[in-house]
Amino acid sequence: KQEVTQIPAALSVPEGENLVLNCSFTDSAIYNLQWFRQDPGKGLTSLLLIQSSQREQTSGRLNASLDKSSGRSTLYIAASQPGDSATYLCAVRPRGAQKLVFGQGTRLTINP
Amino acid sequence: DTAVSQTPKYLVTQMGNDKSIKCEQNLGHDTMYWYKQDSKKFLKIMFSYNNKELIINETVPNRFSPKSPDKAHLNLHINSLELGDSAVYFCASETWGEETQYFGPGTRLLVL
């Protein structure tokens, strides 16, 4: 059974810092991995999607990496801004399954 | 021009009642999902429908009955509501074979 874990559960940093969020999964048989952002009281917004054959994806100040063999992904946020404050969720799509398995999220606070 | 919409946004009800949550997507997708996010923020798949047919039912109590009248709609009916049903329910959609799921804003259900 696929399980996804995110560390840390919460993170608070000053504005301008670069930071890394971690995600690990127990079964390397995945189709892809996605990072989502969830704002309080809102739905989820997809940030980056990495196929199982890829090592990383970039979008603006965000860079996500994937090491499938070790069951790890990281989300790197450069030059953090207060607007980046949100909960970040990692989700994997198990191979052969039409569903996403989510981690519990990292609640990120960027202090001005 | 909301992509995935849910109604109602908030739902407060008494134990034992029956309630429904509606989801509609205008993205032309053929696959829709219901997820439950509990108080610890874990998002878990409940149901998945492809072209109005049920393809995933993740050990959800049979008090929960999804209905897909057409590809653009997936409703969730809950009978005999229990305290443990209090959660945020998210609807999502995608095109089968493409990888990005689009989420609705969520329905916050509180059972008293």
Side-chain angles (χ1 to χ4, degrees):
Chain A
K1 181 186 171 186
Q2 179 72 267
E3 292 183 359
V4 180
T5 303
Q6 290 185 245
I7 295 172
L11 182 63
S12 181
V13 301
E15 181 178 3
E17 283 202 3
N18 304 324
L19 57 98
V20 175
L21 307 181
N22 296 294
C23 172
S24 61
F25 47 95
T26 55
D27 189 340
S28 62
I30 65 170
Y31 188 62
N32 59 46
L33 181 144
Q34 270 184 280
W35 283 92
F36 290 88
R37 170 185 172 137
Q38 183 176 23
D39 292 286
K42 300 285 179 65
L44 278 68
T45 302
S46 180
L47 297 173
L48 289 164
L49 183 148
I50 311 177
Q51 301 290 356
S52 63
S53 59
Q54 297 176 322
R55 298 284 294 183
E56 65 177 339
Q57 281 287 334
T58 299
S59 176
R61 294 182 293 107
L62 305 180
N63 176 277
S65 68
L66 174 64
D67 184 343
K68 200 174 63 166
S69 60
S70 67
R72 293 179 184 174
S73 175
T74 61
L75 178 67
Y76 175 81
I77 303 177
S80 58
Q81 303 170 359
D84 295 330
S85 298
T87 296
Y88 290 80
L89 294 159
C90 167
V92 301
R93 186 187 292 265
R95 191 164 292 282
Q98 193 72 11
K99 66 178 181 180
L100 295 177
V101 179
F102 283 85
Q104 75 274 36
T106 294
R107 191 174 69 252
L108 176 64
T109 303
I110 307 298
N111 301 305
Chain B
D1 59 346
T2 306
V4 183
S5 60
Q6 294 179 228
T7 54
K9 189 170 182 180
Y10 298 96
L11 187 52
V12 181
T13 188
Q14 299 287 332
M15 247 184 357
N17 284 350
D18 303 338
K19 292 293 179 186
S20 291
I21 307 171
K22 297 186 176 181
C23 177
E24 176 181 2
Q25 53 93 5
N26 62 5
L27 299 167
H29 292 161
D30 57 7
T31 305
M32 297 184 72
Y33 302 84
W34 278 112
Y35 289 86
K36 179 180 180 181
Q37 188 173 42
D38 61 23
S39 57
K40 296 183 179 178
K41 304 300 184 184
F42 259 113
L43 258 167
K44 290 186 181 177
I45 183 79
M46 298 175 69
F47 300 103
S48 171
Y49 270 73
N50 176 254
N51 282 319
K52 302 192 299 175
E53 298 215 1
L54 179 68
I55 56 173
I56 292 177
N57 179 343
E58 288 278 312
T59 60
V60 178
N62 57 16
R63 297 182 296 105
F64 291 78
S65 51
K67 281 192 173 60
S68 182
D70 55 58
K71 286 195 301 183
H73 296 85
L74 180 62
N75 304 322
L76 184 64
H77 187 75
I78 315 171
N79 289 325
S80 302
L81 278 156
E82 301 177 357
L83 295 177
D85 297 332
S86 296
V88 183
Y89 292 85
F90 285 99
C91 176
S93 72
E94 68 177 5
T95 294
W96 185 278
E98 297 182 4
E99 293 101 8
T100 300
Q101 290 188 13
Y102 293 81
F103 281 76
T107 294
R108 283 141 192 87
L109 172 64
L110 177 60
V111 182
L112 302 175

